[in-house]
Structure formats: structure tokens, C-alpha cells
Amino acid sequence: MSSSTQFFSPLSLPLPLPLPSHTLFSSLQTHQPTYHTHTPQPTTTIITSTPLTPTKNPPKPRPESRSTASWVELLRSHTRSNRFREAISTYVDMTQAGAEPDNFALPAVLKATTCIHNFNCGKQIHAAAVKLGYSSSSVTVANTLVNFYGNCGDIGDVFKVFERIPLKDQVSWNSMIAALCRFEDWELALEGFRLMQSERVEPSSFTLVSVAQACSNLSKHSGLRLGKQVHGYSLRVDDRKTFTNNALMAMYAKLGRLDDSKAIFELFADRDMVSWNTMISSFSQSDRFYEALAFFRDMVREGSRPDGVTISSVLPACSHLELLDMGKEIHAYALRNDELIGNSFVGSSLVDMYCNCKVVESGRRVFDTISERRLGLWNAMIAGYAQNSFNENAILLFMVMVEVSGFFPNTTTMSSVLPACVDHEAFSDKEGIHGYVVKLGFWTDRYVQNAVMDMYSRLGKIEVSRHIFDSMEIRDIVSWNTMITAYVLCGCHENALMLIKEMQKVEEKEEEKNEDYADERTTGPSKPNAITLMTVLPGCAALAALAKGKEIHAYAIRNALASDVAVGSALVDMYAKSGCLNLSRAVFDGMPIRNVITWNVIIMAYGMHGKGEETLEIFRTMVAEERQRGEKAKPNEVTFIAIFAACSHSGMVNEGLNLFYRMKNDHGIEPTVDHYACVVDLLGRAGKMKEAYELVNAMPPECDKTGAWSSLLGACRIHKDVEIGEIAAKNLLQLEPNVASHYVLLSNIYSSARLWDKASEVRKTMKEMGVRKEPGCSWIEFGEEVHKFIAGDVSHPQSKELHGFLEILSERMKKEGYVPDTSCVLQNVDEEEKEILLCGHSEKLAIAFGILNTPLGTTIRVAKNLRVCNDCHVATKYISKIVGREIIVRDVRRFHHFRDGSCSCGDYW
């Protein structure tokens, strides 16, 4: 082995290599999902004196009646026809008859043993070849042995055979390089390619296929550099063979250069099934689903018949785009072709498609029809149940898989069943699942770590999630997204924004390294993707962090993510909630594809800004486009919630009521409890308290009236209706005795009516119940930070300066006619103290901070977690006029645009 060690010493030229022709198809499908199951190894057959009896074969002539040539021809015929066991049986008969195998018989029987992975049988044939002298004298026999050990042995066996070949030809090198690729020793395979050329052995198409495969498994930087050289070489030698082009297409796709793959595809005419499958699977797995479907349509138009690989590649596109009808058409095609419907990979894709389109029952029917279920099929069904909140079904199916069917779960299984265990109420030992995956030996797998991290965040243990994240040796994009999502869901938006900044720093460091032979899959890419952006953008919206939102938008444009429908919808929402309605509309108008979520977001945006008429116009456009062009944007329950809210903020009572009573007949949507709550708010905000109260009582008996009573109580607070307010509060406190806002609203109603004793009694009850009022908070973005203010806050570094500025500003406002509305102070203290308390409201502190720290003329944007009080609303109108600024305040309900002493809400909020 000393010579081989020297021969394949680590070298400068690392590249991948082609597999032999009979495995070419599988090598070009590297983008297909891999499913692991317990498939038993073929039974080992030892060559003995008892010949193997071929099945369904005509009677053979007696051994002694054949010549050696006829034996060899029969043996080779069996091998060519893929009757491998018959070939081995013929070899046994041949040796028993005294006919000596030659350099034609040995390669044929070795190929047969290779194809059935019969290692012991192959070793005996190798021994015969050595005994007869063919292992060294016949390069054909030696090459077949290299291929045999490459498929059935280990790399050491391959080296031993290869280095003993005295005159290595093109096939010798191809077999060696292919074996190295099979053992995933990509750099050594490329070293072999370089040495092959140094020995002046001309590479063939098979060589280039293997080398392209090796390049595709290097880091992106190295793979592209060397892959382009391989491509250039193929052009220089005018290699236009289909399988060479297929390998180059697969290489570029795996290295993230899909457009280069597409260019190669379009430049050659002799496309085969592998060509189409390579393109369809590459686009599908790169989330370019519409292009995958376009290739699929072109393939069918050109008369190519889809196979199992095609179907399992195109179905994920239907799944992600929720194109249920197209998925059903593909399913029907598979049903007409028996060899497809029994295919476990096709079955897995169908299950995934149906479950992703929310038709879980159909997915289960597909699952039940597959007789040979591989682990991938079980995983698809378990994941489908879990993703659709059929948690008990997911857990039960997992138990059947392990206990009844005898499959051992893999990391994909556990990543799917973990969320089901967390969300299922009856599954009490939720943290025990952590110990279970450790016992299975899966803890070092980052997919499982991601799932456990998500589990703890759902349990509210965000600090445990962060500990797991920080301790991970390898983080992929899912790791980052999981942690960012965890922060967003628990309301820690500042942490989410800080984490994405850290993520980008890691990305920059990785790009600076540019390590030629580092496998990027070991470090895990940390480049923000569509999911990252759609997760973190709501955080920008919640904190009114417009600058950060714009930065993310620019990133999305630079990285071709802005056209993604989910990212686009999140951008529309972010700009709307940051007070930039025009920018929100511009993003909406520029989106190439819109779904119902996109339309709902823009409708909600206009409603929050008090533009009721425009909201209804957008709704009418949505309905018209859905009916004319068949867009997947049919109004749903959320659409009407957004419209009723818009009508409520704009005082459009008749329009809202008209839609409410027509929504079932015109749009097929049954009113839900949320719709009733919105319409109660619509009536109550307009002062129609009696009608609002009657609507609550008219709700179907089975309805949960919590939301409706809450809306009515809020309206009573606005209109100071003590009588109905007490009724609403009584019902609410029976339904939700631990919700602080119910007590606070009732206390406010009493305080506004100067019923101090009753207000004090409510606060006393709150204290006894251990219910705490949410403090008023406001946020304003400045520079790279989001500054947070709490009512009466003195912890901010500029706190003293802000309070002093507000006192001076208050005097100027009074000269302009401002009278503090002390009814907003709900404590029974003197008027002077009430005025001091009013100055400490969080939105006033945030506005003062904006005035003092931003240039003249800059728009000030503030977000608040509660409703703006009457005094702050009046005061902000005066402030906007005095300082000559536009001040945009977003409270928990809507937007207020203050300019020149007036507000966009028209004092109706």
C-alpha cells in the first residue's frame, strides 16, 4: 500500500468523479430526498459444488455437451439480461463441467455478483481469477474487480486491486475514481482525475460525470472554480453526450447556480428522462416552484413520460404552492400507472402534498394503500399529522411504526413527532421527550436540536432554548430561524432583531474565510432566507423599527427574496404598521403573486389608518380579481374581520352591517364569534350601545361570547356607559376572572363617572386576585436602537431632560389653548398632581425623545401597547403644531397621524 499512499497523497486539485454507466442514473439524482429503512441485505451466496438453480428457465443441456465458448456466451447473456443469479449458477455449472473461465467469463460473473451485492461470492471469483492469472494479466478482469470492491468492499480493497494493474487503461481510472466518489472521498477522487491526466490517459464522458459529482460536493467556492474547469474541458473535447450534460447540470444546481443548469439544458437537444428530472428536482428543491412546474409542463408537451422520480420531484412544488387540483391530477396519473402508485417515494410525496394542502384524510388514504412502506413514508404521514395539529394521530402513528411495524425512528421522525408531543395536552411529560432523543443517540443531530429548541420556546422556557442554541456546535438556517421565531412569539422583538444582526455577522465571517475545501454543509449556512425575513419583519412592525425594516427590505431585494409571496406580505404589513401606508401599497402593487394573506394585510393596513372607503374598494378589487382570473385569493374569515375593523375605525356602521348580514350568502362564510365581536365594536364605537348589547344577546347559544362582551365593555369605556358596562364586566369576569384588562376597563368607567369608591373596590379585587395591569409602554426607533418608555419612567438616560422638556412644552401648549384632560387620571388625587401624572405618559416621553434627538422636520413614529388616552391625543395635536412635525402614533387599535394640530382619525377612535 505504500505506493498507493504516495500515489493518492493529498493534492492541490480536488474534484468529483463519474460513476460507472450502470449507476449513472442514481448519481444524477443526488437532489432526491433520501429515505432510510431496514431493507435486509441480499442473502449471501457461497459458490459450492451445488449449482444455483435458475428459476423459470428452460432445461439446460448436460454440462459435458457444451464447449467453453458456449458456456461463456450463456453466462454473458444472463448478465446482459440482468439475470444475475442465473449467471452465477451458469458459472458454477461451467466450472463443474471442467470448462476453464477466461477473461470474458470472469468479468461477466463479477458484474453479476456486484449487482446482487454478494461479497463472499465475489471474493471466491477473485480467488479464481488470481489462481488463473487473470487478475494481473487481464486489465478487463482487474477493472471489474475494482468496480466490484468499490460497490461491495471497502476503499482499501479497491486500492489493492488498482495498484496491482500493470497497464491501467481509461476504464481502470474511471472505475477507481468512481469508487472514490462512491465512498464520498471527493478530494481524492479529484486527485485521481489529475493523476489520470498526468499518466496521459484521456478522460472519457464517464470520467467527467464522476468529476462533476465530486465538484458538486465541495464548498461552493471551490466547487464552482473546479467545476467550471471541468465544464471547459468538456467543451474543448466537444463532449456533447447527454449524460455528461446531465452531470454538469446537476453539479451547477447543487452549487446554487440553477440558471447555469438551465442554460446547459436549453443548449442541447438529446435530453433524456434524467435531464428533465434533474431540472425539475433542482428547481423544486431550491424553492423555485413555478419554474419546476413549468419544466414539468414542457416535459409532458414534448412527449416524455414522467416516472417515479419526476412525480416525487414535482409534487413538492404543488405542496408548497398548495396547488391541490394539480396535485390531484398528478395523483390520477400515478394511479393509472401501477409501477408509480406502489412507489414509496411517490407515496411519500403524495402524502406530503395532501397534508400541506390541509387534506389530511386524503394523505392517510394514500398512506394506507402503499403496501411496502419505507421509513420516509411513515415520516411523511407523521409530519402531516403534526403540521395540521392532529397531534394525537401523529403520536399514535409513531407508536405503531415503532412497536408494530418494527421501524427504528430516525432524526426526521423525531423532528416531526416532537412538536406533536409538545402541543398535545394529554402528553404530560413534555420535557421527557428530550431525554428520549438523548437515549436514542440523536442529541448531536442539529435537526433534533432545532426541534427541542422549538419545544422549550413553546413551553415558555426561552432561556433553555437560547442555552441549546448557544451550545450548538453546528447551526444551520433552521437553527437561527427557530431561535428568532421563539423570540418573536414570546414578544422579545428586540432580541429577535439583535439575533438577525448577529446572524449576518456570522455570514460575513463565513464569506471572508473562503476556505477552498471546506464543506459548507458542516458549518451550516447562516444566510437569512425567506423564512428568516417573514419571521423578523413583524418584530420591526411591533417596535416601529422602520429603519431596520427598510434594511431588511433592501436585503430581500439584493437576494431575490422580495418576490416571495410570504416575504412580500410581511413587508406590506411592516410598512403599514410603521405608519408608511404609501410604501406598504407600493410593495403590494409590485408583488407578482398575491395570496389571501397579502390581500388581508393590505385591507387591515388601510383599516388601521382609518381609510374605510379605500378599504372597501380594495375588497371589491380582491373579489373581482379572484372571480376573473381565478387567483387564490378568495376572501376568508380574516378578510371580514379586517373589513369590520376598518368600518369601525371610520364610523361606517351601515356598510359594515350590510357586509355582515351578506357574508354568508355572497361569500359562503358563516359568521364566527370574532365577526360578532367586531360588529359589536362597530356599533359600540359609534355610540349605538343598545344595538350592540342586543347583538351580543342575539348570538347563537353555542357561541363563546367572551370577545363580544369585551368589545362592548371597551365601548362603554369610550362612552362612559356605567349601566351596560357593569353588565358586560360581570359576564366577562365570570368567563375570564384572571384577565387584567376587564378590571381596568371597569375601573376606568367608574373613575370617569367619578365613582371613586367603586373604582377603588375593583382595584382591590384585582390585588386580591393577584391580577396585574399591563403598564403602558411606548417605543421609538433612533439610530440602531429601539428606545422603550414606560409610564412614569425615570430609568432612561435622558429621563430628567425629557420630563423638563415636557413641562416647558406643556406651558407653551396651554398658551395655545390646551387644557389637560385630568379625567384620564384614574387616581383620586388633586388636579395639580393629575397634571404631573399626565406628563409621564409613555407616548409623551417617546415623542419628547424624538423631538430632542432627531433633526427638524423629521417625522416622529411612536408605537404604544395600549389605547391612546384622550389627554395624550389632544396634547399630541398641539405638539405637532408647535414643533412643526408630523407625529405618527400607533396604538393597540389603529394609527393616528398628527399634523398641524389635527389628527387623521377625526377624533373618532
Side-chain angles (χ1 to χ4, degrees):
M1 282 296 291
S2 58
S3 61
S4 70
T5 305
Q6 220 172 19
F7 188 75
F8 286 100
S9 58
L11 205 158
S12 57
L13 218 218
L15 298 164
L17 203 171
L19 298 178
S21 58
H22 66 274
T23 58
L24 178 62
F25 184 78
S26 60
S27 76
L28 293 181
Q29 295 179 41
T30 54
H31 296 293
Q32 290 302 311
T34 302
Y35 300 96
H36 300 286
T37 186
H38 295 291
T39 305
Q41 292 296 318
T43 306
T44 302
T45 304
I46 309 293
I47 297 181
T48 65
S49 58
T50 305
L52 295 173
T53 305
T55 58
K56 296 181 182 179
N57 228 34
K60 297 180 295 181
R62 292 177 60 81
E64 60 272 12
S65 66
R66 288 186 179 278
S67 65
T68 300
S70 65
W71 280 112
V72 172
E73 182 53 37
L74 179 61
L75 172 56
R76 296 177 73 186
S77 173
H78 284 319
T79 302
R80 283 194 298 267
S81 303
N82 295 332
R83 296 195 296 270
F84 303 123
R85 295 188 184 278
E86 288 87 337
I88 296 171
S89 179
T90 301
Y91 175 81
V92 173
D93 290 345
M94 174 183 178
T95 55
Q96 284 182 334
E100 186 176 284
D102 60 11
N103 59 325
F104 296 103
L106 291 169
V109 74
L110 275 169
K111 180 182 176 182
T113 57
T114 301
C115 289
I116 65 170
H117 287 264
N118 195 325
F119 185 59
N120 288 335
C121 179
K123 285 203 298 183
Q124 291 185 50
I125 296 168
H126 185 184
V130 172
K131 185 176 179 181
L132 295 169
Y134 287 117
S135 63
S136 56
S137 64
S138 170
V139 69
T140 305
V141 173
N143 292 343
T144 315
L145 283 166
V146 171
N147 183 53
F148 163 71
Y149 283 112
N151 279 279
C152 304
D154 59 44
I155 196 65
D157 296 326
V158 177
F159 275 124
K160 287 175 185 176
V161 176
F162 181 79
E163 67 181 359
R164 289 170 185 165
I165 303 175
L167 294 172
K168 302 175 180 70
D169 62 8
Q170 188 184 74
V171 178
S172 311
W173 286 99
N174 284 351
S175 300
M176 184 68 219
I177 296 170
L180 289 166
C181 285
R182 204 171 292 115
F183 286 104
E184 299 186 4
D185 200 333
W186 312 115
E187 294 181 22
L188 208 52
L190 295 170
E191 173 71 3
F193 174 59
R194 192 191 71 80
L195 291 172
M196 175 183 183
Q197 292 177 296
S198 70
E199 294 287 320
R200 300 189 181 280
V201 179
E202 193 72 18
S204 68
S205 299
F206 296 105
T207 325
L208 298 181
V209 170
S210 294
V211 172
Q213 185 194 1
C215 289
S216 70
N217 284 281
L218 299 178
S219 68
K220 186 173 181 180
H221 175 77
S222 300
L224 280 175
R225 178 172 62 83
L226 298 169
K228 286 178 180 179
Q229 292 177 31
V230 175
H231 189 184
Y233 177 85
S234 74
L235 294 174
R236 286 197 302 275
V237 299
D238 198 27
D239 186 340
R240 301 184 184 184
K241 292 185 176 65
T242 297
F243 52 81
T244 305
N245 285 321
N246 290 342
L248 290 169
M249 284 157 48
M251 175 195 75
Y252 280 121
K254 196 169 182 182
L255 293 170
R257 299 290 288 266
L258 266 176
D259 291 329
D260 290 339
S261 294
K262 185 177 178 181
I264 295 173
F265 179 87
E266 291 172 346
L267 287 174
F268 78 100
D270 298 326
R271 302 163 186 156
D272 60 8
M273 184 61 69
V274 177
S275 314
W276 288 103
N277 287 346
T278 299
M279 294 310 302
I280 293 168
S281 63
S282 298
F283 277 110
S284 186
Q285 292 183 26
S286 299
D287 294 349
R288 292 168 65 169
F289 302 117
Y290 285 101
E291 288 164 284
L293 291 172
F295 269 95
F296 177 67
R297 291 190 189 98
D298 291 344
M299 173 186 176
V300 174
R301 285 194 196 106
E302 292 196 13
S304 296
R305 184 181 175 187
D307 62 5
V309 176
T310 321
I311 301 301
S312 55
S313 298
V314 77
L315 278 171
C318 300
S319 174
H320 283 85
L321 298 174
E322 296 186 27
L323 300 175
L324 180 59
D325 290 340
M326 180 174 285
K328 286 180 176 179
E329 289 179 26
I330 295 171
H331 188 185
Y333 173 82
L335 286 169
R336 294 194 299 271
N337 295 269
D338 292 339
E339 73 276 10
L340 293 181
I341 198 57
N343 186 309
S344 185
F345 296 115
V346 172
S348 301
S349 299
L350 283 167
V351 168
D352 177 71
M353 184 275 296
Y354 278 118
C355 291
N356 212 48
C357 292
K358 311 293 186 292
V359 193
V360 184
E361 300 82 3
S362 297
R364 182 56 193 254
R365 280 196 292 272
V366 172
F367 176 85
D368 290 338
T369 59
I370 306 293
S371 54
E372 273 191 59
R373 296 172 189 158
R374 300 191 180 189
L375 184 58
L377 184 63
W378 289 94
N379 287 346
M381 194 66 244
I382 291 169
Y385 276 138
Q387 289 162 8
N388 287 278
S389 300
F390 290 91
N391 301 309
E392 185 173 351
N393 301 69
I395 295 168
L396 289 174
L397 190 63
F398 170 74
M399 293 168 68
V400 170
M401 184 193 94
V402 176
E403 298 297 330
V404 180
S405 297
F407 280 88
F408 189 81
N410 64 6
T411 53
T412 304
T413 322
M414 297 313 303
S415 299
S416 299
V417 82
L418 261 167
C421 295
V422 175
D423 293 338
H424 190 39
E425 292 180 7
F427 192 90
S428 55
D429 188 17
K430 300 184 188 303
E431 294 179 49
I433 199 75
H434 186 173
Y436 180 68
V437 297
V438 172
K439 279 178 66 177
L440 290 176
F442 293 154
W443 181 241
T444 55
D445 182 88
R446 68 172 175 268
Y447 300 110
V448 173
Q449 290 174 327
N450 292 340
V452 175
M453 186 163 57
D454 177 63
M455 176 192 80
Y456 280 111
S457 70
R458 293 194 202 195
L459 295 175
K461 300 188 175 185
I462 193 75
E463 67 288 345
V464 180
S465 295
R466 185 58 196 249
H467 175 74
I468 294 170
F469 178 81
D470 290 338
S471 62
M472 290 174 73
E473 292 183 12
I474 300 168
R475 298 174 190 150
D476 60 9
I477 186 67
V478 178
S479 313
W480 289 93
N481 288 347
T482 301
M483 196 63 236
I484 291 169
T485 304
Y487 278 133
V488 170
L489 289 177
C490 73
C492 302
H493 299 293
E494 298 99 325
N495 300 72
L497 292 175
M498 287 176 67
L499 197 60
I500 197 172
K501 189 182 292 186
E502 184 184 334
M503 181 183 189
Q504 289 173 295
K505 286 180 182 176
V506 171
E507 179 203 346
E508 289 167 8
K509 288 178 184 176
E510 290 295 324
E511 287 177 353
E512 286 171 8
K513 286 180 186 177
N514 272 334
E515 297 179 39
D516 281 355
Y517 310 125
D519 186 345
E520 289 175 346
R521 292 170 303 169
T522 60
T523 58
S526 55
K527 188 175 183 179
N529 63 5
I531 295 172
T532 320
L533 303 192
M534 63 180 281
T535 301
V536 79
L537 279 167
C540 300
L543 299 174
L546 179 62
K548 176 56 72 175
K550 285 183 174 180
E551 185 183 319
I552 292 170
H553 189 182
Y555 177 91
I557 293 170
R558 288 196 306 272
N559 291 275
L561 296 172
S563 59
D564 181 273
V565 67
V567 174
S569 301
L571 285 166
V572 171
D573 183 60
M574 182 276 297
Y575 280 121
K577 288 179 178 174
S578 298
C580 301
L581 190 57
N582 291 338
L583 287 176
S584 178
R585 184 59 187 262
V587 174
F588 175 84
D589 290 339
M591 288 178 66
I593 301 163
R594 303 172 191 142
N595 60 16
V596 66
I597 296 171
T598 320
W599 286 97
N600 288 348
V601 166
I602 197 69
I603 287 171
M604 218 169 284
Y606 273 82
M608 285 179 67
H609 285 266
K611 298 185 178 293
E613 290 290 351
E614 292 91 332
T615 301
L616 291 179
E617 185 58 37
I618 293 170
F619 172 68
R620 287 190 282 268
T621 304
M622 173 188 184
V623 173
E625 289 199 11
E626 188 269 327
R627 288 175 179 168
Q628 290 171 12
R629 298 192 293 185
E631 287 192 358
K632 192 168 185 180
K634 185 178 179 181
N636 60 11
E637 290 85 351
V638 178
T639 314
F640 284 93
I641 290 172
I643 292 169
F644 296 146
C647 291
S648 179
H649 292 315
S650 301
M652 298 168 64
V653 178
N654 292 334
E655 292 86 344
L657 287 173
N658 188 33
L659 274 172
F660 177 69
Y661 290 116
R662 283 178 24 227
M663 61 190 283
K664 182 179 179 180
N665 291 333
D666 291 1
H667 302 283
I669 295 174
E670 196 78 43
T672 67
V673 292
D674 292 325
H675 296 129
Y676 278 102
C678 288
V679 178
V680 169
D681 180 74
L682 169 71
L683 292 166
R685 196 177 293 275
K688 298 180 181 292
M689 304 303 299
K690 184 179 177 182
E691 292 92 328
Y693 178 50
E694 288 174 351
L695 182 61
V696 177
N697 288 324
M699 288 174 67
E702 68 275 9
C703 284
D704 178 3
K705 297 183 179 182
T706 306
W709 286 122
S710 182
S711 294
L712 186 60
L713 184 62
C716 292
R717 162 68 180 90
I718 295 170
H719 297 286
K720 303 176 184 178
D721 191 319
V722 177
E723 183 183 352
I724 295 179
E726 285 180 329
I727 296 170
K730 180 182 177 182
N731 282 280
L732 275 172
L733 294 175
Q734 287 177 347
L735 294 166
E736 295 180 333
N738 296 314
V739 175
S741 60
H742 305 332
Y743 295 93
V744 172
L745 284 170
L746 181 60
S747 174
N748 290 354
I749 292 169
Y750 285 142
S751 298
S752 298
R754 297 187 177 276
L755 300 171
W756 302 114
D757 292 340
K758 287 192 174 185
S760 177
E761 188 65 32
V762 172
R763 288 196 293 272
K764 181 182 176 184
T765 304
M766 281 181 72
K767 191 173 183 181
E768 290 171 354
M769 294 282 292
V771 178
R772 299 185 64 184
K773 174 184 178 291
E774 182 183 8
C777 298
S778 295
W779 296 268
I780 184 170
E781 183 184 34
F782 177 66
E784 289 289 308
E785 290 184 65
V786 174
H787 294 257
K788 180 178 180 180
F789 296 90
I790 300 173
D793 189 14
V794 291
S795 61
H796 192 275
Q798 289 182 255
S799 183
K800 189 174 181 181
E801 184 182 358
L802 296 177
H803 282 278
F805 176 71
L806 283 172
E807 286 179 21
I808 296 169
L809 197 56
S810 180
E811 293 303 317
R812 290 183 62 186
M813 286 158 57
K814 286 176 181 178
K815 290 178 183 177
E816 294 285 335
Y818 163 67
V819 177
D821 186 351
T822 54
S823 67
C824 296
V825 178
L826 306 175
Q827 289 99 319
N828 190 14
V829 293
D830 61 50
E831 291 297 306
E832 186 178 347
E833 192 172 346
K834 285 183 180 180
E835 288 190 24
I836 294 170
L837 290 170
L838 287 174
C839 280
H841 280 198
S842 65
E843 58 265 57
K844 285 179 182 166
L845 293 170
I847 290 168
F849 175 86
I851 294 169
L852 291 175
N853 290 282
T854 60
L856 290 173
T858 305
T859 299
I860 296 168
R861 302 173 192 276
V862 173
K864 187 180 179 182
N865 67 330
L866 303 174
R867 185 180 182 273
V868 172
C869 76
N870 290 343
D871 180 72
C872 285
H873 193 268
V874 172
T876 308
K877 288 196 288 185
Y878 278 98
I879 294 170
S880 69
K881 185 176 181 180
I882 291 169
V883 300
R885 304 275 197 109
E886 180 180 6
I887 302 171
I888 301 174
V889 178
R890 188 189 85 218
D891 69 10
V892 71
R893 290 281 187 171
R894 61 163 298 152
F895 272 90
H896 301 266
H897 294 253
F898 298 93
R899 185 184 294 163
D900 269 340
S902 63
C903 179
S904 61
C905 75
D907 298 337
Y908 185 90
W909 84 101

